[in-house]
């Protein structure tokens, strides 16, 4: 629904527009009067004093309107606006009747001026009011001509030569009828235009209200700014966040109007970004609480590509942040607590397995072997959890040096051998260039990444298959691939494959153990090396992972 405020503001704006229009009209009429007088071609009867009155009166009342309407629209009462709207038309009609009278009455073409009040009425009044106004206008004009004809009032001739119109009953009647009919038709046309204007206004209001309703019902704060950074719209969540209440739209948000702790968020809101900018994180402290706010900045572009405004989306991520921190803390504490007893278990199993704690039967040895392997898997998961909490806290250490991945790949293949043999899988290396290029890398982390991919390829392949690792140069980057002909990744799950804890449903059936943490860590490592990772996969046909890294400039 259009608010009362909107209607009031619209009316004030229309009135201001009409007043400006009237200033132009007054200047135009003044110039016309001066030219006519100087050129001495007409208006011979218009005395300088009359001319001055006709010129001064509208200046006075238009000045009064201007002064009144200079006040901010919320300070103008609806009653005052109604009176002003009425006067806009009524005073002009009376004034123009006088102009017509003094510029020749029936001979005058001043009736053209009557169109100005009709125009004003078109935007200010309803249909019935426009027609009433036209009838009133016709009455003024007819009265003037009748009084003049009947010599109740003296006739001011327009031309020095008698053009035989005044006093000629037939011509006067014809003239008056024509003018009156034109006035009536114009009013009818105005009604028609008025309806179109109102229809458009209605449609625009509905559209705007729809947008407002949607924006107001969003949980995120939305602020729309114009080219100069002035606020065009601000929904309630945005106001709540900035503690801005009451009628606000209009001004710019200035940093110094807010407490210091709001500076970051206000600057992010005011930033006139050329491109879309998502997830800019800022802290806001309102004295009681601290909020983590994400600010998205979306420029509204003109056809030439220049920003003409901005939509700013404020998203309160405090709760998510807190939950994330709690989760990370929990993982970190739990993993640290588990690591020591698990390491001890590993050692105990080894001692027992080796017979150092007394003789074990063949069956016991088998069980101890299984326990040892399972324990190792749990250690692996705990290590992954620790890596993840370090990654998320930004503490995952990197130690970059220059080198080739030759040695790393050799180590990985060596380490994968025993598990591969156990599963009857061949792991092959296809080096596609004589010399592998030098890259900047953390050897241990790159090894961890490639190892993870190779382990997965072995783990998710049926017996007898081959896993191939290749290394070469493509598009001036080092390209490493790890491919298998295993179970593949179902199409509908491919998007989630790099997410934390995600495991494909076929992978879960194929191998019960697994944490879903490996690829998340791999992706992080690759990105830290300014590399890219992607894959191609078809369920039941196999998977190829691609890693590409920038080569050190020669
Ligand atoms: P995990 O292997 O412990 O489940 P990862 O993070 O290493 O966790 O892998 C996540 C998921 O990606 C796996 O559960 C599996 O669904 C899928 N995946 C990864 N590599 C392969 C592969 N070579 N073949 C088939 N699926 C794979």
């Amino acid at each position: 629904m259009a608010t009362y405020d909107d209607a009031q503001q619209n009316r004030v704006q229309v009135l201001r527009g009409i007043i400006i229009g009237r200033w132009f009209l007054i200047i135009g009429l003044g110039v016309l009067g001066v030219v006519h007088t100087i050129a001495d071609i007409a208006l011979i009867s218009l005395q300088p004093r009359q001319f001055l009155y006709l010129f001064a009166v509208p200046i006075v009342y238009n000045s009064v309107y201007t002064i009144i309407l200079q006040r901010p629209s919320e300070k103008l009462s609806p009653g005052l606006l109604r009176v002003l709207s009425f006067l806009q038309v009524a005073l002009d009609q009376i004034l123009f009747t006088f102009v017509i009278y003094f510029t020749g009455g029936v001979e005058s073409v001043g009736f053209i001026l009557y169109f100005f009040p009709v125009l004003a009425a078109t935007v200010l009044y309803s249909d019935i009011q426009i027609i009433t106004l036209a009838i009133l206008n016709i009455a003024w004009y007819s009265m003037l001509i009748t009084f003049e004809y009947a010599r109740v009032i003296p006739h001011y001739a327009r031309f020095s030569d008698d053009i035989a119109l005044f006093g000629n009953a037939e011509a006067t009647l014809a003239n008056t009828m024509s003018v009156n009919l034109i006035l009536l038709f114009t009013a009818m046309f105005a009604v028609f235009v008025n309806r179109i204007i109102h229809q458009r206004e209605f449609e625009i209001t509905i559209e705007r209200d729809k947008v407002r309703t949607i924006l107001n019902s969003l949980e995120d704060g939305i602020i729309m700014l114009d080219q100069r950074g002035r606020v065009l719209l601000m929904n309630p969540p945005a106001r709540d966040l900035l503690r801005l209440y009451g009628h606000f739209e209009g001004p710019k948000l200035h940093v110094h109007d807010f407490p210091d702790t709001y500076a970051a968020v206000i600057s992010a809101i005011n930033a006139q970004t050329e491109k879309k900018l998502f997830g800019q994180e800022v802290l806001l402290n309102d004295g009681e609480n601290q909020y983590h706010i994400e600010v998205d900045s979306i420029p509204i572009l003109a056809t030439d590509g220049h920003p003409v405004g901005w939509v700013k989306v404020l998203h309160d991520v405090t709760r998510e942040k807190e939950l994330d921190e709690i989760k990370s803390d929990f993982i970190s504490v739990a993993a640290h607590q588990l690591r020591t007893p698990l390491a001890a278990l590993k050692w105990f199993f080894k001692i027992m397995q080796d017979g150092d704690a007394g003789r074990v039967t063949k069956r016991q040895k088998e069980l101890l072997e299984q326990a040892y392997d399972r324990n190792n898997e749990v250690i692996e998961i705990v290590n992954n959890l620790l890596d993840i909490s370090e990654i998320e806290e930004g503490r995952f250490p990197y130690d970059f040096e220059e080198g080739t991945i030759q040695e790393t790949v050799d180590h990985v293949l060596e380490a994968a051998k025993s598990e591969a043999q156990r599963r009857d899988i061949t792991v092959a290396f296809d080096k596609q260039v004589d010399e592998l290029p030098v890259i900047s890398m953390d050897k241990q982390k790159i090894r961890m990444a490639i190892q993870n991919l190779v382990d997965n390829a072995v783990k998710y392949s049926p017996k007898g298959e081959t896993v191939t690792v290749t290394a070469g140069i493509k598009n001036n980057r080092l390209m490493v691939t790890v491919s298998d002909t295993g179970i593949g990744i179902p199409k509908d799950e491919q998007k989630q494959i790099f997410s934390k804890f995600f495991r494909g449903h076929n992978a879960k059936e194929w191998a019960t153990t697994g944490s879903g943490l490996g690829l998340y860590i791999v992706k992080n490592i690759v990105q830290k090396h300014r590399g890219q990772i992607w894959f191609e996969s078809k369920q039941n046909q196999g998977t190829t992972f691609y890693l590409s890294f920038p080569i050190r400039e020669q």
Side-chain angles (χ1 to χ4, degrees):
M1 250 187 56
T3 57
Y4 164 77
D5 267 1
D6 291 337
Q8 167 120 343
Q9 262 192 327
N10 273 352
R11 182 150 280 234
V12 172
Q13 252 169 19
V14 167
L15 286 174
R16 283 183 185 144
I18 290 173
I19 289 165
I20 294 173
R22 189 178 291 107
W23 281 126
F24 279 103
L25 192 73
I26 293 170
I27 294 170
L29 286 180
V31 171
L32 201 72
V34 170
V35 169
H36 274 220
T37 314
I38 293 171
D40 202 19
I41 40 173
L43 294 176
I44 47 141
S45 57
L46 195 61
Q47 302 300 315
R49 186 136 32 107
Q50 291 162 348
F51 175 63
L52 210 67
Y53 284 151
L54 291 180
F55 195 49
V57 168
I59 290 181
V60 170
Y61 67 68
N62 214 30
S63 303
V64 174
Y65 295 155
T66 310
I67 292 166
I68 295 176
L69 282 170
Q70 233 151 30
R71 279 191 269 166
S73 44
E74 42 301 351
K75 292 216 177 122
L76 297 163
S77 73
L80 177 66
L81 287 180
R82 231 172 292 132
V83 172
L84 276 180
S85 303
F86 170 75
L87 288 180
Q88 289 299 316
V89 175
L91 286 186
D92 282 351
Q93 273 192 357
I94 298 171
L95 173 81
F96 296 146
T97 308
F98 274 99
V99 173
I100 296 166
Y101 174 55
F102 288 118
T103 56
V106 71
E107 292 165 357
S108 171
V109 286
F111 65 85
I112 291 171
L113 291 171
Y114 280 145
F115 295 123
F116 185 76
V118 174
L119 263 178
T122 311
V123 283
L124 285 175
Y125 293 173
S126 66
D127 294 357
I128 191 83
Q129 288 169 322
I130 297 173
I131 297 292
T132 314
L133 160 95
I135 292 172
L136 208 74
N137 222 330
I138 289 169
W140 281 117
Y141 186 68
S142 306
M143 206 161 70
L144 167 70
I145 303 301
T146 313
F147 282 1
E148 188 191 47
Y149 182 77
R151 295 177 197 272
V152 178
I153 46 175
H155 169 66
Y156 290 93
R158 182 176 173 202
F159 300 102
S160 41
D161 296 331
D162 184 8
I163 57 165
L165 183 54
F166 174 67
N168 181 334
E170 210 175 307
T172 300
L173 193 64
N175 211 36
T176 313
M177 289 288 280
S178 310
V179 170
N180 286 346
L181 278 176
I182 291 173
L183 271 172
L184 196 63
F185 287 137
T186 311
M188 280 157 78
F189 182 67
V191 165
F192 183 67
V193 173
N194 193 16
R195 288 196 171 174
I196 297 176
I197 293 175
H198 276 118
Q199 178 63 23
R200 289 274 150 83
E201 233 174 46
F202 181 67
E203 283 165 12
I204 292 171
T205 312
I206 292 217
E207 270 315 305
R208 198 200 45 204
D209 291 344
K210 257 199 259 170
V211 173
R212 269 202 190 164
T213 314
I214 294 171
L215 289 182
N216 288 352
S217 61
L218 289 178
E219 268 185 44
D220 286 343
I222 309 279
I223 300 176
M224 259 177 94
L225 304 173
D226 70 5
Q227 209 163 7
R228 287 197 264 163
R230 288 176 306 196
V231 177
L232 297 177
L233 189 148
M234 189 185 275
N235 73 345
R239 283 157 191 253
D240 285 347
L241 218 95
L242 300 177
R243 305 277 183 274
L244 283 171
Y245 301 108
H247 187 79
F248 179 73
E249 270 111 50
K252 220 178 133 152
L253 297 174
H254 288 289
V255 173
H256 51 75
D257 294 338
F258 291 85
D260 287 351
T261 46
Y262 283 57
V265 75
I266 301 296
S267 309
I269 293 170
N270 283 339
Q272 307 207 330
T273 53
E274 287 280 321
K275 294 216 171 93
K276 287 182 194 166
L277 186 71
F278 291 111
Q280 200 189 346
E281 233 182 79
V282 288
L283 265 184
L284 189 153
N285 191 324
D286 69 352
E288 292 166 29
N289 298 304
Q290 175 153 301
Y291 299 93
H292 291 265
I293 311 292
E294 256 181 27
V295 183
D296 296 339
S297 183
I298 305 147
I300 305 165
L301 302 178
T303 35
D304 65 355
H306 261 83
V308 287
W310 285 266
V311 176
K312 302 282 176 156
V313 184
L314 311 180
H315 184 52
D316 184 352
V317 289
T318 315
R319 181 101 193 97
E320 285 135 60
K321 280 260 165 197
E322 279 170 1
L323 279 179
D324 255 11
E325 267 170 38
I326 294 170
K327 254 197 289 180
S328 290
D329 287 352
F330 173 76
I331 290 177
S332 166
V333 170
H336 273 293
Q337 297 296 329
L338 285 172
R339 204 148 71 154
T340 323
L342 286 173
L345 274 182
K346 181 174 172 172
W347 189 64
F348 295 144
F349 289 136
K350 189 80 187 139
I351 292 174
M352 288 197 274
Q353 229 178 323
D354 293 347
D356 294 345
R359 230 175 63 79
V360 282
T361 64
K362 197 168 168 247
R363 175 73 187 134
Q364 283 170 334
K365 199 172 175 187
E366 272 171 22
L367 289 173
L368 281 170
E369 250 171 38
Q370 278 181 26
Y372 181 84
D373 286 350
R374 281 294 146 88
N375 188 51
N376 266 354
E377 279 166 15
V378 181
I379 291 177
E380 189 59 39
I381 293 176
V382 167
N383 283 339
N384 278 345
L385 286 175
L386 281 174
D387 289 343
I388 285 196
S389 64
E390 282 183 358
I391 286 174
E392 295 195 332
E393 286 166 24
R395 301 190 285 109
F396 202 41
Y398 280 87
D399 183 13
F400 286 96
E401 56 181 308
E402 296 200 331
T404 75
I405 58 156
Q406 181 70 57
E407 205 184 318
T408 310
V409 174
D410 290 343
H411 277 136
V412 169
L413 297 184
E414 187 57 35
K417 217 188 225 166
S418 69
E419 181 65 10
Q421 267 170 3
R422 209 166 64 82
R423 291 172 168 263
D424 192 15
I425 285 167
T426 317
V427 183
F429 180 45
D430 174 12
K431 193 166 119 182
Q432 295 167 338
V433 283
D434 291 339
E435 277 291 314
L436 285 175
V438 174
I439 63 166
S440 166
M441 63 173 171
D442 177 325
K443 271 194 183 163
Q444 209 205 331
K445 299 285 183 317
I446 287 287
R447 178 175 166 179
M448 201 167 155
I450 300 176
Q451 179 95 50
N452 223 304
L453 297 179
V454 173
D455 286 352
N456 275 348
V458 171
K459 180 159 131 193
Y460 297 120
S461 291
K463 275 195 161 96
E465 300 288 327
T466 303
V467 167
T468 313
V469 180
T470 74
I473 298 175
K474 199 166 179 202
N475 296 333
N476 210 23
R477 286 168 81 88
L478 166 69
M479 171 83 102
V480 180
T481 70
V482 179
S483 30
D484 62 65
T485 44
I487 61 170
I489 303 166
K491 197 154 183 52
D492 57 336
E493 294 180 342
Q494 293 190 353
K495 270 201 183 130
Q496 292 146 279
I497 224 69
F498 292 107
S499 324
K500 248 184 299 179
F501 299 110
F502 183 81
R503 300 199 65 209
H505 78 269
N506 59 341
K508 280 194 246 175
E509 282 166 21
W510 183 264
T512 45
T513 54
S515 60
L517 297 174
L519 288 183
Y520 176 80
I521 297 172
V522 174
K523 184 166 183 180
N524 199 276
I525 293 174
V526 173
Q527 283 174 341
K528 274 278 175 329
H529 282 78
R530 294 196 290 129
Q532 280 147 1
I533 177 165
W534 69 100
F535 65 89
E536 283 166 3
S537 185
K538 265 211 173 127
Q539 199 169 353
N540 299 325
Q541 290 188 23
T543 308
T544 301
F545 276 91
Y546 298 85
L547 306 179
S548 107
F549 298 99
I551 295 174
R552 194 203 59 186
E553 300 279 330
Q554 286 300 315

